[in-house]
Amino acid sequence: MPQAQTLDDIRVEFDAPDNVPKDRIVDLSFAMGTAPNDLADPYEPMGWLAGKDIPRLLFNPPSMHGLGAISGNRRGSWVVTHYEDIERVYSDNEHFSNAGTAEFQRLIGETFKSIPLAIDPPDHQKYRLYLMPYFSPARITRDLEPRIRRVVDEMIGAIEAKGEVDMAWDFARVYPVRIFMGLMGFPDEKFDQFLDWEWDILHSGSLDKMQAALRGVLDFLRAFIAEKERNPDEHLVSSIVHGKIEGRALTDDEKIGMVWFLWLGGLDTVAATIAQMFRRLALQPDLQKRLRDHPQLINSAVEEFLRTQPILSSSRTATKDFEWHGIEVKKGDSFSCLNPAGNFDPARFENPRTFDPERKANRHFTFVGGVHICLGAHLARRELRVLLEQWFERIAEFRVKPGADTTVFPGLLSIRNLPIVWDVK
């Protein structure tokens, strides 16, 4: 689809519900991470959707492809694109529910919930408080950062004398998953199988592949949980299954719900972020040099990479009928928060399209917001910071390998391959 710049470019005909004005019906598939481009800033095509002349609620018809078709959703979704509206959807738990979000397990008839992602307040708090200590900054510094640094050191050591690496496939895809598997206590030999299952669930668009992968991973996770019940160890899965909530042991559904949610969230998002981060650095040598020369900027630069690379947009469901921006919202209406627009809203961010590694008060939505803010946000930040610190210390200025395809999907699909090269010292 050509890059759209006005609502007239993307308006479509659709037999929408009665509460949807015809002039709000637009095809926003180009902004959902499924339309590739080759821009240095791959999210540029959808930034205009946060403009002050854009209606505050748009309506996107259901996709006839991918999960929308597979799940049978034919209703469509409201889309919010402005920062303050996205903030409301994420934080207003009275009007918006997260129940059912990312519950792919329903495709094979499973009824357990993804915990804590798909749990609304007040129950959400008890599950989040149960898991949060394992992902706190202090715990990451004490227990995980030494492992993160060892893994980075080992992986860079394996390539620094070669002068090239496929940063997406051989590094970004591997590094965060090694950290995650060590945290959870999963066996190293499941590495490739995990990535195959994850790809089929999130990216294949094939119901048969999704169902087969879901059965495979859930069978494994249930067997792994049972093993840790018999033989406890020091890793997170064991800690989860032997812990207590409000003085009681966890139910079987709570155990698989937590372990499944962590498995699903631990494999893909950081990998996509790393690939896009290194793509931008390779395409913009001035930015690369600035961070090399001023390593004290790495922390704030990581935050800016996160803001300008919103991998996911999150959905909610209306809990009741109410009026918003002149629209009669109905209970059960779906809402999609378009983070690739909200993160570039000029009402919130000064010069939003400029990559500013010194940007202050960088409160973006890449980790979502409200009570459901990403549980692993601190871990992801630490993984990115340590990687950049050690990379710039040991690898010379790098560039995209001549002739390589730098096309990117601005979302979770991201970049499958990114060969980069550098001059070996």
Side-chain angles (χ1 to χ4, degrees):
M1 177 177 182
Q3 291 185 24
Q5 291 296 329
T6 70
L7 289 183
D8 288 338
D9 295 332
I10 56 175
R11 282 199 174 94
V12 293
E13 296 290 330
F14 173 66
D15 187 17
D18 293 340
N19 62 319
V20 179
K22 299 299 182 185
D23 65 348
R24 302 296 180 90
I25 303 172
V26 293
D27 178 6
L28 289 172
S29 59
F30 78 97
M32 301 297 185
T34 58
N37 66 61
D38 197 24
L39 300 170
D41 173 7
Y43 294 87
E44 190 277 332
M46 60 280 298
W48 63 274
L49 290 165
K52 58 185 178 181
D53 58 330
I54 302 298
R56 301 300 282 263
L57 290 177
L58 301 173
F59 191 86
N60 194 43
S63 170
M64 294 298 103
H65 306 284
L67 185 62
I70 290 169
S71 65
N73 176 16
R74 296 290 184 268
R75 184 177 177 85
S77 176
W78 295 106
V79 180
V80 290
T81 62
H82 295 76
Y83 188 97
E84 68 173 348
D85 294 333
I86 294 174
E87 188 169 45
R88 178 187 177 181
V89 174
Y90 285 154
S91 59
D92 183 354
N93 301 301
E94 178 185 352
H95 291 88
F96 300 98
S97 169
N98 214 36
T101 297
E103 293 195 326
F104 299 95
Q105 63 268 31
R106 293 186 187 184
L107 294 175
I108 56 171
E110 295 279 3
T111 57
F112 70 86
K113 297 181 182 298
S114 297
I115 301 174
L117 179 67
I119 305 292
D120 288 326
D123 287 340
H124 175 87
Q125 183 179 21
K126 67 183 179 184
Y127 292 117
R128 190 172 186 91
L129 289 175
Y130 182 73
L131 290 171
M132 196 61 229
Y134 301 105
F135 296 93
S136 69
R139 184 74 171 263
I140 290 167
T141 299
R142 184 183 72 243
D143 297 343
L144 286 179
E145 184 161 337
R147 174 178 172 81
I148 293 171
R149 292 191 177 277
R150 285 196 303 271
V151 170
V152 172
D153 180 67
E154 176 191 323
M155 292 186 69
I156 293 178
I159 63 170
E160 61 182 332
K162 295 180 179 179
E164 67 176 288
V165 69
D166 185 334
M167 196 64 199
W169 184 260
D170 292 325
F171 203 108
R173 186 180 67 102
V174 175
Y175 160 52
V177 180
R178 286 185 59 181
I179 303 301
F180 168 74
M181 293 184 74
L183 169 68
M184 300 291 281
F186 291 138
D188 290 339
E189 60 266 23
K190 298 301 291 185
F191 179 88
D192 289 325
Q193 180 65 80
F194 277 12
L195 290 177
D196 288 345
W197 280 334
E198 177 268 346
W199 179 266
D200 284 346
I201 292 168
L202 294 179
H203 305 310
S204 71
S206 162
L207 179 58
D208 289 343
K209 289 183 177 181
M210 293 176 76
Q211 290 176 323
L214 286 162
R215 292 188 184 98
V217 67
L218 290 175
D219 285 349
F220 168 82
L221 293 177
R222 285 193 168 106
F224 192 79
I225 288 170
E227 164 62 20
K228 294 307 145 187
E229 288 173 333
R230 295 188 297 269
N231 299 298
D233 60 29
E234 73 277 15
H235 299 294
L236 182 51
V237 173
S238 182
S239 298
I240 288 173
V241 302
H242 288 283
K244 292 186 176 182
I245 291 181
E246 298 178 339
R248 62 167 178 82
L250 275 66
T251 66
D252 288 343
D253 276 0
E254 287 173 330
K255 292 174 185 177
I256 188 64
M258 289 187 194
V259 175
W260 153 253
F261 162 69
L262 293 173
W263 183 90
L264 185 67
L267 296 179
D268 216 39
T269 51
V270 177
T273 300
I274 292 170
Q276 290 194 31
M277 181 170 72
F278 273 77
R279 177 184 179 274
R280 184 157 198 162
L281 286 167
L283 294 175
Q284 298 183 318
D286 288 348
L287 174 60
Q288 189 180 149
K289 184 178 187 306
R290 186 175 178 185
L291 296 184
R292 286 180 184 281
D293 293 345
H294 303 282
Q296 71 274 15
L297 296 179
I298 285 178
N299 282 6
S300 55
V302 162
E303 217 56 45
E304 186 72 337
F305 279 118
L306 289 166
R307 181 186 73 86
T308 58
Q309 298 171 182
I311 300 298
L312 293 172
S313 292
S314 190
S315 299
R316 298 289 187 270
T317 303
T319 61
K320 61 179 73 173
D321 293 356
F322 65 99
E323 183 176 333
W324 193 23
H325 293 311
I327 298 293
E328 293 296 328
V329 174
K330 299 297 183 182
K331 180 179 180 180
D333 280 1
S334 177
F335 282 78
S336 180
C337 296
L338 192 62
N339 296 335
N343 278 8
F344 297 96
D345 190 334
R348 173 71 191 192
F349 300 100
E350 185 177 358
N351 300 318
R353 299 241 67 85
T354 299
F355 187 100
D356 180 4
E358 298 185 68
R359 188 179 295 275
K360 310 299 183 191
N362 199 347
R363 189 165 170 262
H364 52 75
F365 291 125
T366 297
F367 291 125
V368 192
V371 297
H372 290 95
I373 194 167
C374 176
L375 192 66
H378 296 304
L379 175 58
R381 288 183 170 104
R382 194 69 55 92
E383 289 173 338
L384 297 174
R385 291 168 182 170
V386 170
L387 173 56
L388 285 182
E389 288 169 6
Q390 295 202 28
W391 185 276
F392 287 142
E393 287 177 2
R394 298 173 60 178
I395 303 293
E397 181 180 325
F398 58 91
R399 55 204 177 273
V400 175
K401 189 172 184 177
D405 181 7
T406 53
T407 299
V408 57
F409 288 84
L412 194 57
L413 279 170
S414 195
I415 306 166
R416 197 74 163 148
N417 300 98
L418 180 68
I420 60 174
V421 296
W422 58 91
D423 297 328
V424 177
K425 295 179 182 178

